Amino acid sequence: GAMGNVMVIGNDEPVTGGGIECHGIEVNRGKIASNGGNVHIHGTGIGNNQSIGVQIADGGRITSENTGKIEVTGTGSAVADSKNYGVFIYGENRGTGVGSTISSGGNDVIITGYGGGTNSDNIGVYVNSCEIKAGGNGTITVKGTGSTTAVENEKGIPNRNHGVLVTGKNGMICALRGNVIVDGMAGGPAESSQNYGVRVGTGAKISSAETGEVMVTGKDGNVAVFVEGIGSQITSNTGKITVIGNAGSG
């Protein structure tokens, strides 16, 4: 890691197409790290299918130590079909068993994702059995928007264009003492049946471990905030918890 700031930009140009699975930035098993400076990541998918803005996979890590802040912004391809996530965190390193993470040593973590694509499964921020963490008093802010270009087409009515999806037994958005803010806006047309603002799946957790407050806001879609399955939680040890839902007409 470096003492200075770290900035990585991938495909920061207007979306014009490209090859299948042309992600903006992918961190696979490796890491992007700073030892004190801020980390800024910005990626845009430009492929014609399954093109993700920022993908962290198979034990990949984005980290900052000490006072560094992390900002990650991802936009899925607007010209593709399905699974064009804004920010996608999943998988573990098969050798070490360590899952993918975005983590700060004590400063804020800000994650912003915009799902692209014209059909189903275009999620703003998708955390699958992995972690977003902030140490010390660092605040976590996660904002996701499901695809706004997903409309009824020859394949049917698009579904599952969630704003924010956290799922799996190790799926976690967790601050130590800081506040946690999760804000999700569902995409897709009003006729859809499975577009959620914020979805917390089986075994997943949104939490502040000690004194921080937790606020979860879901907008539009069929269900604004959906907490489902065994072990799914929105929790704080001693801080205030606020859940706000404003479902759309779908």
Side-chain angles (χ1 to χ4, degrees):
M3 290 297 292
N5 296 331
V6 177
M7 176 178 288
V8 181
I9 298 175
N11 297 333
D12 192 29
E13 296 290 339
V15 174
T16 57
I20 293 175
E21 295 191 11
C22 186
H23 309 318
I25 294 171
E26 180 172 13
V27 184
N28 191 310
R29 301 187 185 181
K31 69 177 180 178
I32 298 173
S34 169
N35 186 22
N38 298 329
V39 178
H40 180 83
I41 309 294
H42 188 288
T44 302
I46 62 170
N48 56 28
N49 198 31
Q50 297 185 21
S51 295
I52 296 160
V54 177
Q55 176 167 279
I56 307 163
D58 298 339
R61 293 178 290 160
I62 296 176
T63 66
S64 71
E65 301 297 332
N66 304 317
T67 60
K69 179 170 68 174
I70 296 176
E71 295 187 56
V72 177
T73 302
T75 303
S77 174
V79 299
D81 188 33
S82 298
K83 297 183 180 179
N84 301 286
Y85 313 128
V87 177
F88 185 29
I89 311 168
Y90 78 98
E92 65 179 31
N93 186 305
R94 294 179 182 179
T96 64
V98 175
S100 299
T101 60
I102 297 176
S103 64
S104 80
N107 208 328
D108 298 342
V109 176
I110 302 170
I111 311 295
T112 307
Y114 303 95
T118 58
N119 210 338
S120 299
D121 299 295
N122 294 302
I123 299 165
V125 177
Y126 185 4
V127 182
N128 187 351
S129 299
C130 292
E131 298 179 341
I132 298 173
K133 302 186 294 183
N137 295 316
T139 292
I140 297 176
T141 303
V142 176
K143 293 186 177 183
T145 302
S147 175
T148 58
T149 57
V151 296
E152 185 173 1
N153 53 60
E154 68 276 4
K155 296 183 179 180
I157 298 174
N159 289 305
R160 299 177 300 279
N161 292 291
H162 311 316
V164 177
L165 172 60
V166 189
T167 192
K169 66 178 181 179
N170 296 316
M172 183 182 303
I173 299 173
C174 183
L176 181 58
R177 292 187 295 273
N179 298 335
V180 177
I181 301 164
V182 177
D183 189 330
M185 178 176 288
E191 297 82 7
S192 301
S193 61
Q194 299 177 42
N195 294 315
Y196 306 138
V198 176
R199 182 174 182 176
V200 184
T202 300
K205 181 164 62 173
I206 298 173
S207 72
S208 182
E210 295 186 8
T211 57
E213 297 184 5
V214 177
M215 175 177 285
V216 177
T217 304
K219 305 182 187 75
D220 293 339
N222 314 107
V223 180
V225 178
F226 186 32
V227 182
E228 62 172 331
I230 297 172
S232 56
Q233 302 178 53
I234 298 174
T235 182
S236 174
N237 188 22
T238 59
K240 179 181 178 182
I241 298 172
T242 303
V243 179
I244 300 172
N246 183 14
S249 59

